[in-house]
């Protein structure tokens, strides 16, 4: 059984809009995306995808679910296979169904201490930079100002085998666990020596690793932290926290190969660059960056090594490339890198090259054609054979169609035959007609208001008091079911996972109606909280009125003591005060 915590983490990292958009043409409509439902025939879009709730719902045929459910329905996958497919796209490993070992639990508990240790190490290296005229001269020679060095928290590791000994208790195991110290045959020494130090930060801005650049000639030029409990090279990108605002402003992200390239570009005003950490581009990198920007540009040296790295990035990008966000490849002249190029040509010259970068399809076709003689039948057949596995990886429908048409023209094949020659998977055939959209009249109960507001902010669930809800209402049963699921969850439950948990529950239809009603009202979190509080107050008033009516009835039939009358008057006064505090409808 796959743990709920893993599914929650997976659904947090996957963007359902990206998943659905690889198979369905979507367009923005308010806060959501809409398109023609892939599960029944229709001419007017009734299929809605919510990026905030990470949930899809067809108002025509009623299908709904999260990203896992979509793959299961569209690609006819089993549950576990769908989870594994999504996990592979974001570089996650589906855990074995076993409890966490004591060692793993202990390591998890130690993580806060490891973050503090890495922060302290960064402060040490930054302090050492101020003491090293040689390291400062090196950075100034590369054109860096103190402002940029401070922004990227650059430091210096002294040319000393045990420089960290004066700052840390050198015998602690955490220094080895974080990759700062190497232990060999009972001896310990610093991993980083005589290097400019580039701290690697995670999305929250915490230090998780370092990249060290040698000042003089020597190998390796760059030395990175090893894999640690905090640091996975295939998941992280250097400079991303510093680049976020510039990425958002430019709607573009540039991936380069070195730390110094990132910093140098920022120095010249190109702040939307990040770098991979001494490893090839991974699906996690591509997915993460496509969520942040409308255009992804890979920048490589124009030599053989650069083109090999670009090809690897292209292969990783193919299944993740959406129709609406171009992926491009920029090759600089041989002998140049972003650092040297922007120094010679400035920001405008560099960005002109970025705008002229090859698209993914242009780069792919150029590479496929380079090894095939399209003047001969054999060459064209080879071209089709070579292109087939790459085109099959593409999931963006419009991009794949455009590319297959170009391939057909180059191979001199009829467009009607190209699909079968490339053995492209066909869209599932759903022949049933669109059912009449379900009609409903929105209930007017307070429980209905509570439910619609709660679905916009599940953190409000803790304020629900089951004893005060009308037990006979369907909305009450839905509220109680949601409360039960949220209380049973190991951590805060997302809407997408809640819908999965409620699958098969008789209250699900009520929940989906309330979800649609909330969308029709365009509830945001603030509006939802206001509506929720108003409904809670009204429910409290209703409960107090029932108590008063019951007490009044008893007093009228059996006059009570003076104390009973005082209790009634106090309750009646509190009721009127609460009633008066409500805003006018």
């Amino acid at each position: 059984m796959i743990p709920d915590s893993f599914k929650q983490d997976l659904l947090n990292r996957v963007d359902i809009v990206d998943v659905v958009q690889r198979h369905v043409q979507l367009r923005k409509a308010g806060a959501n995306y809409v398109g023609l439902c892939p599960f029944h025939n229709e001419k007017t879009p009734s299929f809605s995808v919510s990026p905030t709730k990470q949930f899809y719902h067809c108002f025509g045929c009623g299908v709904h679910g999260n990203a896992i459910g979509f793959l299961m329905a569209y690609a006819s996958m089993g549950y576990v296979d769908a989870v594994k497919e999504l996990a592979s796209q974001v570089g996650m490993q589906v855990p074995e169904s076993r409890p966490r070992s004591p060692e793993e639990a202990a390591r998890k508990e130690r993580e806060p201490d490891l973050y503090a240790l890495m922060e302290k190490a960064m402060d040490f290296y930054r302090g050492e930079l101020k003491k090293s005229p040689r390291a400062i001269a090196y950075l100034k020679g590369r054109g860096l100002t103190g402002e940029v060095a401070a922004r990227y928290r650059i430091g210096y590791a002294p040319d000393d085998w045990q420089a960290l000994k004066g700052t840390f208790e050198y015998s602690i195991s955490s220094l080895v666990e974080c990759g700062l110290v190497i232990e060999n045959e009972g001896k310990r020494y610093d991993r980083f020596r005589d290097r400019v130090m580039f701290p690697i930060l995670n999305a929250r801005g915490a230090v998780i690793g370092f990249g060290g650049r040698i000042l003089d000639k020597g190998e390796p030029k760059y030395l990175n932290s090893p894999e640690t409990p905090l640091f996975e090279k295939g998941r992280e990108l250097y400079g991303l926290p510093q680049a976020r605002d510039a990425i958002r402003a430019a709607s573009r992200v540039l991936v380069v190969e070195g730390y110094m390239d990132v910093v140098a570009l920022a120095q010249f005003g190109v702040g939307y660059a990040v770098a991979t950490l001494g490893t090839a581009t991974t699906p996690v990198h591509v997915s993460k960056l496509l969520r942040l920007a409308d255009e992804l540009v890979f920048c490589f040296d124009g030599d053989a090594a650069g083109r090999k790295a670009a090809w690897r990035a292209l292969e990783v990008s193919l299944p993740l490339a959406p129709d609406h966000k171009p992926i491009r490849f920029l090759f600089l002249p041989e002998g140049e890198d972003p650092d040297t190029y922007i120094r010679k040509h400035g920001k405008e010259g560099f960005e002109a090259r970025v705008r002229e970068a090859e698209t993914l399809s242009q780069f792919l076709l150029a590479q496929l054609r380079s090894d095939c003689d399209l003047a001969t039948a054999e060459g064209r057949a080879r071209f089709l054979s070579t292109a087939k596995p790459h085109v099959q990886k593409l999931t963006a429908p419009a991009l794949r169609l455009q590319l297959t048409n170009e391939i057909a023209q180059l191979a001199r094949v009829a467009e009607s035959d190209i699909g079968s020659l490339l053995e492209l998977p066909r869209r599932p055939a759903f022949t049933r007609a669109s059912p009449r959209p379900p009609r409903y009249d929105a209930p007017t109960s307070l429980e209905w208001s509570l439910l619609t507001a709660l679905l916009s902010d599940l953190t409000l669930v803790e304020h629900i008091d089951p004893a005060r809800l009308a037990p006979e209402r369907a909305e009450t049963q839905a509220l109680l079911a949601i409360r039960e699921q949220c209380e049973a969850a190991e951590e805060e439950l997302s809407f997408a996972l809640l819908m999965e948990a409620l699958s098969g529950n008789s209250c699900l239809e009520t929940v989906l109606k309330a979800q649609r009603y909330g969308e029709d009202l365009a509830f945001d979190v603030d509006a939802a909280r206001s509506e929720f509080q108003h409904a809670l107050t009204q429910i409290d008033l209703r409960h107090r009125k029932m108590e008063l009516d019951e007490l009044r009835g008893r007093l009228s039939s059996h006059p009570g003591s003076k104390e009973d009358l005082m209790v009634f008057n106090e309750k009646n006064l509190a009721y009127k005060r609460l009633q008066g505090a409500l805003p006018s409808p």
Side-chain angles (χ1 to χ4, degrees):
M1 185 177 176
I2 300 171
D4 284 345
S5 58
F6 176 83
K7 291 186 285 187
Q8 180 72 76
D9 194 14
L10 175 63
L11 291 171
N12 285 341
R13 298 187 189 192
V14 168
D15 186 351
I16 192 170
V17 176
D18 288 342
V19 174
V20 174
Q21 209 152 216
R22 292 174 203 150
H23 309 282
V24 180
Q25 191 82 30
L26 298 176
R27 63 175 174 80
K28 196 85 164 62
N32 295 336
Y33 291 80
V34 298
L36 296 175
C37 179
F39 302 112
H40 74 270
N41 294 330
E42 65 177 9
K43 295 181 180 179
T44 303
S46 60
F47 186 78
S48 174
V49 184
S50 169
T52 54
K53 291 188 170 70
Q54 291 294 297
F55 188 72
Y56 72 89
H57 185 206
C58 177
F59 298 114
C61 65
V63 295
H64 59 268
N66 54 31
I68 300 170
F70 181 82
L71 279 188
M72 290 173 65
Y74 188 91
S76 302
M77 288 184 175
Y79 185 84
V80 174
D81 287 339
V83 170
K84 287 181 176 179
E85 172 66 22
L86 289 175
S88 69
Q89 292 177 13
V90 292
M92 294 178 69
Q93 183 68 41
V94 179
E96 299 174 13
S97 54
R98 60 177 179 81
R100 186 180 288 166
S101 69
E103 293 80 11
E104 290 171 330
R107 189 175 70 181
K108 195 71 176 173
E109 288 180 8
R110 285 202 311 277
E111 277 190 8
D113 296 330
L114 298 183
Y115 282 119
L117 186 146
M118 294 295 277
E119 189 80 17
K120 189 175 180 180
M122 179 188 68
D123 291 341
F124 168 75
Y125 292 135
R126 293 184 71 186
E128 290 299 308
L129 175 62
K130 297 175 184 177
K131 303 176 187 177
S132 174
R134 180 165 154 268
I136 292 173
Y138 170 81
L139 293 174
K140 284 185 175 179
R142 301 296 296 263
L144 299 188
T145 63
E147 183 183 354
V148 169
R151 179 184 173 194
Y152 285 88
R153 307 182 196 178
I154 296 172
Y156 171 68
D159 191 7
D160 185 334
W161 285 91
Q162 294 186 333
L164 293 173
K165 198 169 187 177
T167 302
F168 297 96
E169 183 184 333
Y170 210 63
S171 60
I172 60 175
S173 61
S174 300
L175 286 173
V176 176
E177 195 171 9
C178 283
L180 294 170
V181 166
I182 295 173
E183 190 169 49
N184 188 17
E185 296 181 356
K187 297 181 180 179
R188 288 190 169 198
Y189 54 91
D190 291 5
R191 179 180 299 276
F192 300 101
R193 302 180 305 280
D194 194 26
R195 290 178 179 272
V196 172
M197 298 294 286
F198 298 88
I200 301 162
L201 312 180
N202 65 10
R204 298 190 302 274
V207 186
I208 55 176
F210 292 94
R213 208 279 186 195
I214 199 163
L215 269 71
D216 301 315
K217 292 182 179 180
E219 292 296 333
K221 182 193 293 186
Y222 282 100
L223 179 65
N224 297 309
S225 290
E227 298 275 320
T228 72
L230 305 181
F231 179 48
E232 293 179 57
K233 293 179 185 177
R235 299 194 59 81
E236 306 297 339
L237 289 151
Y238 176 71
L240 185 55
Q242 294 92 338
R244 279 184 184 275
D245 289 344
I247 291 171
R248 195 175 294 113
S251 295
R252 174 193 294 150
V253 61
L254 182 74
V255 182
V256 295
E257 297 183 83
Y259 306 107
M260 189 57 76
D261 291 327
V262 171
V263 178
L265 288 170
Q267 175 77 59
F268 281 82
V270 180
Y272 49 81
V274 298
T276 53
L277 304 171
T279 184
T281 305
T282 68
V284 181
H285 294 147
V286 176
S287 296
K288 184 181 291 188
L289 295 175
L290 284 173
R291 284 198 293 273
L292 293 174
D294 292 332
E295 181 182 46
L296 170 56
V297 183
F298 290 101
C299 180
F300 297 97
D301 297 345
D303 57 14
R307 289 199 166 264
K308 184 177 180 182
W311 185 252
R312 163 63 182 158
L314 177 139
E315 290 184 311
V316 168
S317 301
L318 283 171
L320 301 169
D323 282 328
H324 64 301
K325 294 186 177 183
I327 297 176
R328 297 179 178 274
F329 294 83
L330 169 62
F331 297 99
L332 296 175
E334 195 159 348
E336 297 274 21
D337 58 30
D339 181 7
T340 60
Y341 194 90
I342 201 166
R343 289 179 199 284
K344 292 179 183 178
H345 303 280
K347 178 184 177 182
E348 290 185 7
F350 182 82
E351 290 196 315
R353 290 296 298 260
V354 171
R355 291 190 293 271
E356 295 167 0
E358 296 179 56
T359 63
L360 179 145
S361 61
Q362 288 171 334
F363 179 43
L364 174 61
L365 288 174
Q367 290 297 109
L368 295 177
R369 293 175 64 178
S370 64
D371 197 31
C372 302
D373 182 4
L374 298 185
T376 68
E378 290 80 2
R380 292 193 293 273
R382 174 180 170 81
F383 173 66
L384 285 170
S385 177
T386 309
K388 181 164 67 175
H390 302 294
V391 179
Q392 286 176 343
K393 289 179 184 177
L394 274 172
T395 54
L399 178 58
R400 190 172 70 182
L401 177 62
Q402 295 292 328
L403 190 59
T404 52
N405 288 344
E406 286 197 45
I407 289 172
Q409 291 176 18
L410 290 169
R412 302 183 194 175
V413 171
E415 290 182 5
S416 57
D417 296 329
I418 192 67
S420 59
L421 286 171
L422 296 178
E423 298 179 15
L424 299 180
R426 292 181 176 274
R427 170 179 161 172
F430 296 97
T431 56
R432 68 176 189 266
S434 171
R436 180 174 297 176
R439 294 187 60 187
Y440 68 92
D441 295 320
T444 56
S445 73
L446 296 173
E447 283 78 6
W448 175 258
S449 297
L450 215 58
L451 178 60
T452 55
L454 175 64
L455 293 175
S456 292
D457 185 0
L458 290 175
T459 62
L460 298 171
V461 73
E462 62 186 54
H463 301 292
I464 292 175
D465 182 0
R468 298 198 168 196
L469 302 178
E472 72 280 1
R473 300 203 65 90
E475 305 93 272
T476 295
Q477 300 309 310
L479 286 165
L480 295 179
I482 292 172
R483 188 171 184 268
E484 181 183 351
Q485 292 298 334
C486 289
E487 287 179 346
E490 296 177 2
E491 53 190 69
E492 188 177 307
L493 206 61
S494 69
F495 181 85
L497 201 58
L498 172 65
M499 292 300 99
E500 183 177 313
L502 292 177
S503 178
N505 192 305
S506 58
C507 75
L508 183 59
E509 185 178 350
T510 302
V511 172
L512 289 172
K513 285 181 179 179
Q515 147 71 9
R516 180 183 174 185
Y517 185 67
E519 286 192 352
D520 289 345
L521 294 178
F523 264 161
D524 57 19
V525 172
D526 290 338
R529 289 178 177 174
S530 176
E531 176 70 14
F532 189 87
Q533 187 57 53
H534 185 79
L536 273 186
T537 304
Q538 291 278 17
I539 287 172
D540 187 21
L541 277 171
R542 183 180 68 186
H543 184 75
R544 289 171 184 263
K545 186 176 186 305
M546 289 171 60
E547 285 184 333
L548 283 170
D549 289 346
E550 184 179 345
L551 190 55
R552 185 183 290 109
R554 288 205 307 267
L555 289 173
S556 62
S557 57
H558 301 287
S561 64
K562 186 176 181 180
E563 288 76 13
D564 290 339
L565 190 59
M566 285 180 63
V567 168
F568 174 82
N569 288 333
E570 286 175 1
K571 286 181 176 289
N572 192 39
L573 182 61
Y575 171 76
K576 288 183 176 179
R577 282 175 178 166
L578 183 61
Q579 192 177 38
L582 280 176
S584 300

